[in-house]
Amino acid sequence: MPELVQTFRFRVRLTRSAAPGRTAAPPPDIPRPPSEAAAPGPAAVGPGPAGPGAPDGAPDRLGDGGFQECAGLALEADVREYLQGGANDEVVRRAGRVRLQPIVLKRGMLIAADGGSADTGLWDWLHGMVAGGGPVPRYDGDVEVLDPAGRRVVAHWTFVRGLPLKITGPTLNARTGEIAVEELHIAHEGLRLERTP
């Protein structure tokens, strides 16, 4: 009988995305009539200095993977109903698009290794998108569930081309003495549960 995953550990990695995405592909070439085939066409335009993979100050890794909660590992199919005349006791259902939920990550606020101020990496990611200074760096994510001993990966989700949707700072209450927790919501373009060896 298969065993259940009950107690586990997990880790999250956010790595700079190198995939250009479907919307960044150039338009298809339109065949020209033979009379115009010899005429020089426009020069090919490639990604500029701020294109995918270009150094723009964004780190290749974001965060340290020490998240305490991860939610949003969900896919939801959009099923459409069609009513047929004369068939009053049945409904035809057709599969539509998949709706993707944002990934929600929570972690305690981190202090820089040199003992300075709080780590601002997640906040800088969202501020960079709001400022509109150039293409926003996207991050691919890996969410791995480990066995209780932490030696074997038992489940591995991947999501691609994530963008910051929302970041929330901690609720500050000096009377409780709780850990300051920040929350990051990531909108992405695809989620998959990978088969683990």
Side-chain angles (χ1 to χ4, degrees), residues 3 13 21 41 46 59 64 112 115 172 179:
E3 57 182 302
R13 286 192 303 263
D64 68 337
L172 303 175
I179 295 175

Side-chain angles (χ1 to χ4, degrees), residues 145-169:
V145 177
L146 308 172
D147 64 357
R151 292 190 295 265
R152 185 172 59 96
V153 176
V154 297
H156 179 200
W157 282 270
T158 59
F159 61 89
V160 294
R161 293 180 51 78
L163 282 174
L165 183 63
K166 174 183 176 183
I167 187 164
T168 305

Side-chain angles (χ1 to χ4, degrees), residues 69-86:
E69 287 185 41
C70 176
L73 299 173
L75 296 175
E76 183 179 351
D78 184 15
V79 178
R80 304 198 176 193
E81 294 185 352
Y82 296 93
L83 305 178
Q84 292 183 334

Side-chain angles (χ1 to χ4, degrees), residues 42-61:
V45 178
D56 58 359
D60 289 337
R61 294 282 301 271

Side-chain angles (χ1 to χ4, degrees), residues 51-146:
D56 58 359
D60 289 337
R61 294 282 301 271
L62 190 65
D64 68 337
F67 292 96
Q68 297 158 323
E69 287 185 41
C70 176
L73 299 173
L75 296 175
E76 183 179 351
D78 184 15
V79 178
R80 304 198 176 193
E81 294 185 352
Y82 296 93
L83 305 178
Q84 292 183 334
N88 297 332
D89 59 344
E90 61 186 50
V91 175
V92 176
R93 291 192 168 101
R94 300 275 187 244
R97 296 184 181 274
V98 170
R99 284 183 281 187
L100 301 171
Q101 304 295 323
I103 303 293
V104 180
L105 302 172
K106 295 182 183 180
R107 73 172 187 183
M109 287 195 77
L110 300 177
I111 305 299
D114 59 359
S117 63
D119 178 19
T120 63
L122 302 180
W123 292 81
D124 293 341
W125 188 24
L126 182 62
H127 282 297
M129 183 177 74
V130 173
V136 180
R138 293 175 178 256
Y139 286 85
D140 299 336
D142 292 287
V143 180
E144 295 177 334
V145 177
L146 308 172

